[in-house]
Amino acid sequence: MAKHTVTYIPGDGIGPEVSAAARRCIEATGVDIKFEEVNAGSDTLEKTGTLLPDSVLDSIRKNKVAIKGPITTPVGSGFRSVNVALRRAHDLYACVRPCKSYAGVRSRYNDIDLVIVRENTEDLYAGIEFEINKPATAELIGTIKNLSKSTIRDDSGISIKPISVFGTRRIVKFAFEYALAHNRRKVTAVHKANIMKFTDGLFLQVAREVAKEYEGKVEFEDRIVDNMCMQLVQKPELYDVLVLPNLYGDILSDLCAGLVGGLGVAPGANIGDGIALFEATHGSAPKYKGKNKVNPSAMILSGVLMLEYLKETKAARILEQATAEVFKEGKAVTYDFKEDRDDPTAVGTSEMADAIIAKVKKLK
Ligand code: NAD
C-alpha cells in the first residue's frame, strides 16, 4: 500500500493539462503517493449527467487530501459552483495562498513573500441572497424597515453578510498556527470595522482576543482593507501573514498574485480540520483548452504545498527549487513568461513540466 493516497481531480478546460503536469512533477520526486482519479465539472456532466458526482466527495472524505484542477462554473445552470460546493461539503474553511517572488517571473516587485489566509465559509459569499421583485425580498425589506431605522429601496436585490465568532475564531487561530508552523513573524487582520461595526467589527474584536493567546510568539496588527490595498502596493515588505474575511480575501488574493507575476504562478490550498484540497488560484481558461499552451506552475506549486502538508518536506523543497530554477533560466517556460506573448521560443505546458522534472531528477 502506498504511503499516501490522494484524490486527484483533473478538472475541465485547461484543468486536465495543468493537473497532469503537476502530477508528473510530484511523481518525479519519488514520494510514495497513489493518485485516486475521480472527476467533476463540465466533461463529467456530459458523461454522467452530474457536475459533482458523489464519488468525488466520498474519495476526498476517505483520503483527506486532494489535488484538483480548475473547474468551469456553468453560467445560468442554477448550480453555484463545483468549487464552492467542494469547499462547503468538507468544511474547508481556510483558503491559504502564498504569494512569493521568484527570479525570472516578470513582475514589478522582486522581494514579495506574503501569505493570504482567507475565511472560506461566511461573509457575502455565504450565498444568502434575495432577488429583486421576489415576495421573500419584499418581506425582508419590510422586516428591515420595522426593525431598524434604515430603509431599503423596493427595487433592491439583497446579499447577506454573516460573520460569526465561531468562524472568525477558527480562521484567526488557523492563521496564527500557520505563522508558528512556518516561522512567520506577524499576522495582520484586515477588515472594514469602522463602517461595518457588527460584522467586520466583530471580526476585529475576535481577532484581537485570539491574538492575545499568541503574545510573545507572533506579532499582531490590523489594517482597514482600503488602506491595506494601498500599503500592499507601496510597501509589501512590511507584511507577512494576512487574515481576512471571505470577500476581502478573494480580492486581495488576486492583488497579491499580481504582485508576484500573476495567476500563472499563484498556488493555493483549501484546508479544514484534518482535510485539505490543493488547487491553483486561476480558473479553467476555456479558450486555451487542449492547446498545451498555459503555464502549469500554479498547479505544480500547489503540489509543493500538498507535499508540505503531507510532511514530505524534502520532496517539497526539491520540487520548489526545480521549478524556481526553470523560472530563473527562462528557457523552457510558457508564453506568459515572455515579454512578447507570441515569442516563438515559448514552450508548451507539458514541455515546461518536462524541464522541471529533469531538474527534480538532478536535485534528488
Ligand atoms: P481564468 O483564471 O480561467 O482565466 C483568466 C485568464 O487568465 C485566461 O484567459 C488566461 O489569459 C489567464 N490564465 C489563467 N490561468 C493561466 C495559466 N495557467 N497560464 C497562463 N495564463 C493563464 O479566469 P476566468 O476566465 O474568470 O474563469 C474561467 C472559468 O474558471 C469560470 O467558469 C470560473 O468560474 C472558473 N474558475 C474556477 C476556479 C477553480 O476551479 N478553483 C477558480 C477561478 C475560476
Side-chain angles (χ1 to χ4, degrees):
M1 206 174 98
K3 186 170 169 199
H4 311 284
T5 303
V6 162
T7 300
Y8 170 74
I9 308 164
D12 60 28
I14 58 166
E17 299 159 55
V18 291
S19 302
R23 177 176 172 166
R24 288 199 294 123
C25 289
I26 294 165
E27 282 170 342
T29 66
V31 168
D32 187 14
I33 293 187
K34 181 181 158 211
F35 289 89
E36 187 172 283
E37 182 166 341
V38 287
N39 210 2
S42 57
D43 301 348
T44 310
L45 178 67
E46 272 171 35
K47 282 186 203 142
T48 66
T50 168
L51 273 167
L52 179 56
D54 285 345
S55 56
V56 176
L57 297 171
D58 293 344
S59 174
I60 299 174
R61 203 168 288 122
K62 173 170 63 85
N63 296 325
K64 308 270 189 251
V65 181
I67 185 160
K68 170 189 154 299
I71 292 176
T72 310
T73 301
V75 179
S77 72
F79 195 92
R80 288 193 94 80
S81 152
V82 169
N83 305 302
V84 174
L86 279 172
R87 286 170 210 155
R88 286 244 170 92
H90 302 292
D91 199 17
L92 304 171
Y93 61 84
C95 179
V96 182
R97 288 180 176 163
C99 297
K100 196 165 157 182
S101 300
Y102 289 100
V105 180
R106 278 183 306 108
S107 154
R108 287 178 184 273
Y109 305 85
N110 54 21
D111 55 354
I112 307 282
D113 188 8
L114 292 162
V115 180
I116 299 268
V117 176
R118 164 187 172 189
E119 206 287 327
N120 238 353
T121 67
E122 304 198 316
D123 198 355
L124 284 162
Y125 272 71
I128 310 168
E129 300 207 274
F130 295 86
E131 200 180 339
I132 183 172
N133 293 336
K134 294 282 176 198
T137 314
E139 194 181 328
L140 181 63
I141 290 172
T143 306
I144 289 171
K145 217 179 262 176
N146 289 337
L147 292 178
S148 78
K149 291 189 183 68
S150 351
T151 50
I152 297 178
R153 291 189 186 97
D154 290 336
D155 59 348
S156 298
I158 300 175
S159 300
I160 304 286
K161 172 176 167 124
I163 300 241
S164 70
V165 172
F166 174 85
T168 305
R169 170 162 279 281
R170 74 175 175 174
I171 195 66
V172 177
K173 262 191 110 55
F174 181 97
F176 274 99
E177 289 298 325
Y178 182 96
L180 278 179
H182 293 82
N183 294 319
R184 296 276 176 171
R185 68 191 155 84
K186 183 165 77 174
V187 170
T188 304
V190 185
H191 58 85
K192 189 83 185 176
N194 51 330
I195 303 294
M196 280 162 279
K197 297 186 193 309
F198 300 141
T199 48
D200 287 29
L202 184 63
F203 184 87
L204 177 58
Q205 182 196 324
V206 174
R208 284 184 173 143
E209 282 164 24
V210 173
K212 283 198 193 114
E213 298 166 28
Y214 295 88
E215 246 167 29
K217 292 186 207 146
V218 182
E219 286 173 50
F220 175 74
E221 64 182 8
D222 71 277
R223 289 283 179 277
I224 294 177
V225 62
D226 38 357
N227 180 29
M228 185 80 245
C229 291
M230 189 184 70
Q231 300 250 333
L232 281 171
V233 173
Q234 288 191 325
K235 17 187 177 172
E237 69 283 357
L238 294 185
Y239 298 95
D240 194 350
V241 176
L242 310 181
V243 63
L244 312 93
N246 211 337
L247 178 63
Y248 308 144
D250 187 25
I251 298 167
L252 266 66
S253 292
D254 273 30
L255 189 155
C256 291
L259 297 178
V260 296
L263 288 175
V265 291
N270 293 290
I271 303 182
D273 289 327
I275 187 159
L277 181 145
F278 297 84
E279 62 178 337
T281 300
H282 65 71
S284 59
K287 70 176 174 191
Y288 291 113
K289 178 180 176 173
K291 295 205 162 91
N292 189 39
K293 192 164 161 66
V294 296
N295 186 350
S297 309
M299 270 307 283
I300 294 169
L301 292 171
S302 301
V304 170
L305 299 181
M306 185 179 82
L307 289 170
E308 275 173 8
Y309 182 86
L310 293 171
K311 304 230 174 336
E312 295 288 357
T313 313
K314 186 170 168 225
R317 291 290 66 81
I318 286 176
L319 182 51
E320 186 181 17
Q321 196 184 327
T323 309
E325 285 182 13
V326 169
F327 289 171
K328 195 169 176 185
E329 286 176 8
K331 285 189 209 134
V333 291
T334 45
Y335 75 96
D336 53 313
F337 279 88
K338 306 284 185 183
E339 196 137 18
D340 170 10
R341 297 218 147 200
D342 297 318
D343 188 330
T345 65
V347 303
T349 310
S350 61
E351 289 71 27
M352 184 164 179
D354 292 342
I356 294 171
I357 289 166
K359 295 275 184 204
V360 166
K361 287 188 175 151
K362 275 197 194 142
L363 290 166
K364 262 200 326 186

